[in-house]
């Protein structure tokens, strides 16, 4: 990823250009919304969160240090807003219901060998989605940044304000917890 | 390489965060450890099954941007101005001034601080508490209010509990961050038992 592709727009937005900020919103809104949806678990809250993220960014962009990475800064606002939101709503105990209409498969899945296998794969994906929603919030944030958004451990560490080693541990622990929750379904899709 | 280390390396490898030297050691371990090979296959299947939320349709984004623009219209007053080099210099000047004042205050306090007898502090507390205790003994309503205040302040310090009164350590992020591999294994075994009963029919 280019280190500072947003720099010219950010510089204009820092000095009050709404047009430049709107261009930045268009560039990043999908990724921020996707992160918010993973963290919040439903579309309505994700929408509110994404709006809040950009509103906070507009208010604070004057204090953004040129030379830093804008998307890292924006992701950091999004993660902090999501964690505050989850804490406020006390939803850590609960789990968002899985909505099949909001999800599509991403990674390269192996060729299906029949309708039963397809059905088992869909069931597995649904269970994984539920299990991700049930992860502790900081693990879920790491998972969302690394797996959903494709950030490296180093980039995720910059967003989360921790070390690469911490991100590595969180991913390892998150995967162990996920595997434990979906183990019976993993057996069903064994090649 | 121990299996615990190998499994963490497998996770790093899935994220593209494993250095070549470590991958060579991991590969060597996997050639001799069927359990870790099974673990890697399972994580690979799981990774392939991860769903990413689909992007909403184009009309959603038009509405999203419209609503955001309306909010931005009303956000002008709370907006922080861009920080220029002059502002940064001014901040440093304020910080230096504050540091000089603080150092002066500390020096003055060290040289001229008033010496108070320790017993005086206790006597002051007694003077305040005694009338309150006497008033509470004479007035059950006041006593109940004081009791309520004390209980509320204790409850604020006690960790969250569920409906049955059990502590909820899982609600604390530090609980998860601090789990050792062995402790995590215990949690994982519990989850496997739980999901094993509710698995696919």
């Amino acid at each position: 990823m280019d280190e500072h592709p947003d720099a010219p727009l950010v510089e204009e937005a820092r000095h009050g250009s709404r047009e430049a900020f709107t261009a930045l919103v268009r560039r990043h809104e999908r990724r921020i919304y996707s992160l918010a949806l993973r963290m919040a678990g439903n579309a309505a809250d994700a929408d509110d969160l994404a709006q809040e993220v950009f509103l906070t960014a507009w208010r604070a962009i004057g204090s953004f240090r040129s030379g830093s990475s804008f998307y890292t800064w924006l992701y950091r606002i999004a993660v902090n807003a999501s964690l505050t939101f989850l804490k406020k709503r006390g939803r850590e105990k609960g789990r968002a219901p899985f909505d099949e209409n909001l999800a599509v498969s991403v990674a390269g899945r192996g060729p299906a060998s029949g309708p039963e296998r397809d059905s088992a794969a869909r069931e597995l994906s649904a269970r994984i989605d539920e299990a991700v929603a049930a992860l502790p919030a900081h693990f879920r944030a790491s998972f969302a940044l690394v797996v959903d958004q494709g950030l490296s451990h180093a980039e995720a560490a910059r967003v989360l304000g921790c070390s690469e080693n911490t991100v590595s541990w969180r991913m390892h622990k998150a995967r162990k917890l996920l595997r434990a929750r979906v183990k019976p379904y993993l057996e069903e899709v064994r090649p | 390489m121990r299996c615990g280390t190998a499994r963490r390396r497998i996770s790093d490898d899935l994220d593209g965060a494993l250095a070549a030297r470590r991958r060579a050691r991991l590969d060597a371990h996997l050639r001799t450890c069927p359990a870790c090979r099974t673990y890697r296959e399972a994580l690979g299947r799981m990774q392939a099954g991860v769903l990413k939320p689909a992007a909403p349709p184009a009309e959603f984004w038009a509405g999203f941007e419209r609503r955001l623009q309306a909010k931005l219209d009303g956000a002008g007053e709370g907006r922080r101005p861009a920080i220029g080099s002059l502002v940064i210099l001014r901040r440093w000047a304020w910080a230096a001034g504050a540091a000089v004042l603080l150092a002066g205050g500390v020096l003055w306090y060290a040289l001229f601080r008033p010496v108070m007898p320790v017993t005086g502090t206790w006597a002051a507390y007694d003077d305040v508490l005694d009338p309150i205790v006497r008033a509470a003994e004479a007035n059950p309503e006041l006593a109940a209010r004081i009791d309520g205040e004390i209980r509320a302040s204790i409850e604020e310090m006690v960790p969250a509990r569920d409906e049955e009164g059990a502590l909820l350590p899982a609600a604390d992020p530090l609980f998860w961050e601090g789990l050792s591999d062995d402790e995590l294994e215990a949690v994982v075994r519990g989850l496997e038992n739980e999901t094993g009963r509710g698995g696919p029919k």
Side-chain angles (χ1 to χ4, degrees):
Chain A
M1 210 176 282
D2 186 358
E3 197 56 29
H4 306 300
D6 300 318
L9 287 172
V10 170
E11 201 48 38
E12 285 180 46
R14 283 181 74 226
H15 290 92
S17 166
R18 277 276 291 275
E19 290 74 20
F21 187 74
T22 303
L24 287 168
V25 169
R26 291 213 175 104
R27 197 176 275 189
H28 294 284
E29 61 194 1
R30 281 163 175 79
R31 288 197 287 183
I32 293 299
Y33 177 87
S34 164
L35 176 63
L37 186 52
R38 176 64 90 191
M39 294 300 288
N42 68 75
D45 288 335
D47 184 85
D48 286 346
L49 267 174
Q51 294 262 329
E52 188 190 324
V53 169
F54 287 114
L55 198 57
T56 306
W58 170 247
R59 284 182 174 140
I61 200 165
S63 59
F64 175 80
R65 289 183 186 181
S66 34
S68 311
S69 162
F70 180 71
Y71 83 87
T72 303
W73 183 72
L74 204 56
Y75 271 138
R76 192 179 303 146
I77 294 175
V79 168
N80 288 341
S82 301
L83 293 176
T84 306
F85 167 79
L86 288 173
K87 200 173 175 185
K88 202 185 291 177
R89 243 182 27 184
R91 289 198 48 194
E92 283 313 296
K93 281 192 293 175
R95 213 167 53 172
F98 175 71
D99 184 350
E100 285 186 355
N101 296 322
L102 282 174
V104 290
S105 177
V106 276
R109 185 175 289 161
S113 60
E116 269 186 27
R117 177 113 188 281
D118 271 357
S119 164
R122 275 197 301 274
E123 180 75 9
L124 171 65
S125 291
R127 297 295 159 227
I128 291 172
D129 200 79
E130 284 182 345
V132 173
L135 282 174
H138 284 79
F139 288 12
R140 201 185 324 158
S142 300
F143 189 89
L145 291 171
V146 174
V147 176
D148 291 343
Q149 305 289 323
L151 266 60
S152 67
H153 284 189
E155 289 167 331
R158 277 201 296 276
V159 171
L160 296 166
C162 62
S163 68
E164 283 182 54
N165 199 38
T166 301
V167 173
S168 165
W169 265 114
R170 284 179 184 170
M171 292 303 295
H172 167 59
K173 288 177 177 179
R175 287 194 167 102
K176 277 197 151 190
L177 292 170
L178 291 177
R179 178 175 167 266
R181 279 195 187 274
V182 303
K183 202 172 177 184
Y185 302 92
L186 280 172
E187 301 299 319
E188 294 282 302
V189 292
R190 189 184 280 275
Chain B
M1 183 184 278
R2 293 171 58 192
C3 289
T5 310
R7 289 174 187 206
R8 188 177 160 192
R9 301 277 179 258
I10 289 169
S11 172
D12 286 344
D13 195 27
L14 280 170
D15 297 335
L18 193 64
R21 188 170 47 87
R22 283 183 162 167
R23 180 179 289 116
R25 290 219 293 265
L26 173 64
D27 287 342
H29 175 84
L30 289 172
R31 278 194 290 276
T32 60
C33 181
C36 285
R37 278 204 303 274
T38 306
Y39 183 81
R40 185 178 63 172
E41 282 166 20
L43 288 202
R45 263 177 279 143
M46 203 167 72
Q47 187 92 342
V50 170
L51 297 168
K52 189 157 91 172
E59 55 267 27
F60 169 85
W61 296 112
F64 180 87
E65 286 163 19
R66 214 170 28 249
R67 277 178 285 124
L68 181 61
Q69 291 301 334
K71 287 179 185 173
L72 292 177
D73 285 340
E77 286 171 15
R79 193 170 179 275
R80 287 179 227 154
I83 298 177
S85 53
L86 195 63
V87 176
I88 294 169
L89 270 176
R90 201 181 297 156
R91 284 184 181 177
W92 275 108
W94 276 105
V100 168
L101 275 177
L102 186 67
V106 169
L107 189 65
W108 178 87
Y109 185 75
L111 293 174
F112 305 111
R113 68 179 165 187
V115 180
M116 289 176 67
V118 176
T119 49
T121 312
W122 289 106
Y125 278 122
D126 282 346
D127 287 349
V128 173
L129 285 176
D130 272 351
I132 296 173
V133 171
R134 274 198 293 276
E137 282 172 351
N139 181 349
E141 194 183 332
L142 177 63
R145 276 174 54 196
I146 292 172
D147 189 48
E149 289 292 329
I150 293 170
R151 281 175 191 281
S153 67
I154 291 171
E155 277 167 17
E156 274 180 19
M157 292 187 285
V158 174
R161 290 170 183 272
D162 66 12
E163 295 85 2
E164 292 163 1
L167 285 171
L168 289 171
D172 181 359
L174 288 178
F175 168 81
W176 294 100
E177 298 287 4
L179 278 186
S180 69
D181 244 9
D182 289 343
E183 289 162 341
L184 186 66
E185 280 301 332
V187 173
V188 163
R189 277 196 298 277
L191 281 173
E192 283 175 353
N193 287 338
E194 193 183 299
T195 51
R197 287 197 295 274
K201 308 288 180 289

